[in-house]
Amino acid sequence: MINLGENKSKMPAFLRSGFRVLFFAAGLGSSLLMLAWLLFFTQQINVEFNVYYWHAHEMIFGYAMAVIVGFLLTATQNWTKLKTINGYPLLFLGVVWLMARMLSVMGHDYIFYQLITDLAFLFFSLLFIALPIVKAKNWQNLPIVFKLLIFFIANIMFYLGALGYMDNGQYLGIYLAFYTVVALILMMIRRLIPFFIENAVSADIQLKNSKFLDLGSLVLFVVFAIDNLFFKTQITLISALLLLIIHSIRMFYWYHHEIWEKSLIWGLYVAYGMINFAFLLTIIDHFITLPQNTATHSFAIAIGLITLSMMSRVSLGHTGRNVFSPPKALGVIFTMLVLVFVFRVIAVLFWGEYYPQFIIISQLLWIVAFTMFVFIYGKMFFQKRIDGLFG
């Protein structure tokens, strides 16, 4: 925490709030990381490290963590009424994130330096988010801190595996973090999707939900993740079936026909549907062997669409712009990610012989979508709030 005092008016707009630095990093990083994955996948560039683990690690600990930390640094201010980091501490956090991403493609000789910078980013992110929550005694949001701690532990597991000190450490670290991202998103959308829909549609409505569904979703997903990660028994199948039922009920409760007129709403709703579809694919895969990682990528593309939707909305609101009048191109950007889902998840189920081609199409669509986001929103990150407020 820093005291801005008289210098806050002189601070560059880019360094005034966590979302500015980290959403910009996430958007640009997502495009470049996917471009690197495209070049690795097509063997245009050959490297000595496991490119599949690299891709999974960087999309989770690189892209997703930048979005999550940027969002939480911004949201924590609303929860606690205390200022989170800005200025040079925020710049430091962004530079550490960037260094970790650059070191990730430099090979095994640099893995120790990547470990230090990557864990440093998570450690300081945890610190900068936890301090105001604890100081304000905002205990209801303490579970967020515990999830950040899980990310830190999962990344340690990944590097212990990469260095040969932990059997299967890379796999376990990646999937522990991956399921934690999904759990965090499921917790957040429980609050956000009904609230956003109620405020966006013309009708005066109050969408249904229940504490039973909330508790069931939480407990069952923990069971699903633990069993699927460590044991792979029938419990994965049963919990996936129950989760499919719970989230289908929620989607029914939360549906309103006007959501299709609002890109920032239908993007979240469709992404939620992708998460639910991942549970369905998990069930089907128990009886019919599906292409490898199909359910995983249904989760993953949902993460991409949800995080992009949230970055788009938060950036508008916290730069003083109208969240009910977003850039028209957002509909096109979100549609591209829906097409990523169509090619990477749906098409490979039916036309497996074109698997490599579908992967490449998905990669290109992802790159274009996030490049468009950076092109449209980049200037907002570097401009002061249009309402004259600090942030």
Side-chain angles (χ1 to χ4, degrees):
M1 307 295 291
I2 61 173
N3 182 11
L4 296 174
E6 298 177 355
N7 294 322
K8 72 176 187 178
S9 62
K10 300 178 181 178
M11 184 182 295
F14 185 61
L15 300 179
R16 293 187 175 194
S17 188
F19 79 92
R20 293 176 178 271
V21 172
L22 291 168
F23 286 2
F24 180 73
L28 188 59
S30 182
S31 296
L32 295 176
L33 290 169
M34 190 60 72
L35 175 60
W37 172 229
L38 171 63
L39 296 174
F40 293 156
F41 181 78
T42 57
Q43 298 184 331
Q44 300 300 308
I45 296 178
N46 293 308
V47 292
E48 75 276 12
F49 52 82
N50 186 315
V51 295
Y52 294 94
Y53 279 151
W54 173 88
H55 168 58
H57 180 271
E58 288 304 294
M59 295 311 293
I60 297 169
F61 291 101
Y63 167 70
M65 284 310 304
V67 179
I68 290 169
V69 173
F71 174 82
L72 291 178
L73 284 173
T74 307
T76 299
Q77 296 183 143
N78 296 332
W79 298 337
T80 65
K81 308 306 178 186
L82 297 174
K83 195 70 179 173
T84 52
I85 61 163
N86 43 47
Y88 289 119
L90 179 58
L91 179 61
F92 163 78
L93 196 64
V95 169
V96 172
W97 178 90
L98 177 61
M99 289 174 62
R101 311 288 66 84
M102 293 174 66
L103 288 164
S104 75
V105 295
M106 294 179 68
H108 194 78
D109 292 343
Y110 294 87
I111 193 168
F112 179 75
Y113 302 105
Q114 182 191 353
L115 179 158
I116 295 299
T117 52
D118 215 12
L119 293 180
F121 172 75
L122 289 173
F123 173 78
F124 285 109
S125 296
L126 175 62
L127 186 67
F128 293 146
I129 291 166
L131 282 178
I133 289 177
V134 172
K135 186 176 181 180
K137 298 181 180 180
N138 185 239
W139 307 128
Q140 67 267 32
N141 286 306
L142 202 58
I144 294 290
V145 177
F146 293 142
K147 286 183 172 63
L148 290 174
L149 184 59
I150 293 174
F151 287 126
F152 187 77
I153 294 169
N155 214 11
I156 291 175
M157 293 170 64
F158 173 85
Y159 284 110
L160 287 176
L163 291 167
Y165 296 119
M166 182 178 180
D167 292 340
N168 218 23
Q170 289 176 284
Y171 174 86
L172 292 175
I174 285 170
Y175 275 91
L176 177 59
F178 181 72
Y179 285 134
T180 303
V181 173
V182 177
L184 181 59
I185 284 175
L186 287 174
M187 182 182 73
M188 289 169 56
I189 63 177
R190 162 60 189 95
R191 305 179 187 183
L192 298 178
I193 289 183
F195 176 74
F196 288 167
I197 293 176
E198 288 169 357
N199 283 277
V201 301
S202 58
D204 183 14
I205 58 172
Q206 185 172 359
L207 299 176
K208 295 181 182 179
N209 199 50
S210 73
K211 291 183 178 179
F212 176 76
L213 293 179
D214 289 346
L215 183 61
S217 172
L218 172 64
V219 173
L220 285 169
F221 186 76
V222 171
V223 171
F224 169 84
I226 292 174
D227 189 73
N228 196 35
L229 185 57
F230 295 104
F231 306 109
K232 298 187 184 300
T233 69
Q234 295 284 345
I235 293 175
T236 296
L237 173 66
I238 296 169
S239 56
L241 176 60
L242 294 174
L243 284 164
L244 175 65
I245 294 170
I246 286 174
H247 293 296
S248 295
I249 293 171
R250 269 186 174 175
M251 291 189 71
F252 175 76
Y253 281 166
W254 295 349
Y255 181 78
H256 191 281
H257 66 276
E258 288 185 25
I259 65 173
W260 305 111
E261 301 170 12
K262 317 283 185 179
S263 58
L264 286 174
I265 303 297
W266 73 251
L268 288 173
Y269 190 84
V270 170
Y272 187 23
M274 293 177 185
I275 290 178
N276 209 20
F277 193 70
F279 294 126
L280 176 61
L281 290 174
T282 302
I283 297 166
I284 295 172
D285 193 46
H286 182 79
F287 301 100
I288 303 171
T289 302
L290 300 179
Q292 190 174 14
N293 293 325
T294 306
T296 299
H297 278 86
S298 189
F299 280 127
I301 298 163
I303 292 171
L305 182 52
I306 285 174
T307 51
L308 190 57
S309 298
M310 288 308 304
M311 285 195 292
S312 301
R313 185 184 183 94
V314 170
S315 299
L316 290 174
H318 286 271
T319 56
R321 292 171 171 83
N322 186 358
V323 297
F324 297 109
S325 183
K328 293 182 180 179
L330 279 184
V332 176
I333 294 172
F334 295 165
T335 300
M336 286 185 178
L337 289 190
V338 173
L339 290 175
V340 171
F341 176 82
V342 170
F343 283 104
R344 182 59 186 87
V345 176
I346 303 297
V348 297
L349 294 175
F350 299 100
W351 300 284
E353 65 273 23
Y354 298 110
Y355 181 87
Q357 290 89 338
F358 290 147
I359 300 299
I360 293 170
I361 293 170
S362 301
Q363 291 165 332
L364 291 170
L365 285 166
W366 183 284
I367 292 167
V368 173
F370 278 89
T371 300
M372 287 180 65
F373 168 78
V374 173
F375 180 78
I376 294 170
Y377 276 82
K379 60 184 179 181
M380 298 184 196
F381 300 138
F382 289 89
Q383 295 173 347
K384 294 179 181 180
R385 287 182 60 115
I386 61 174
D387 56 11
L389 298 177
F390 182 88

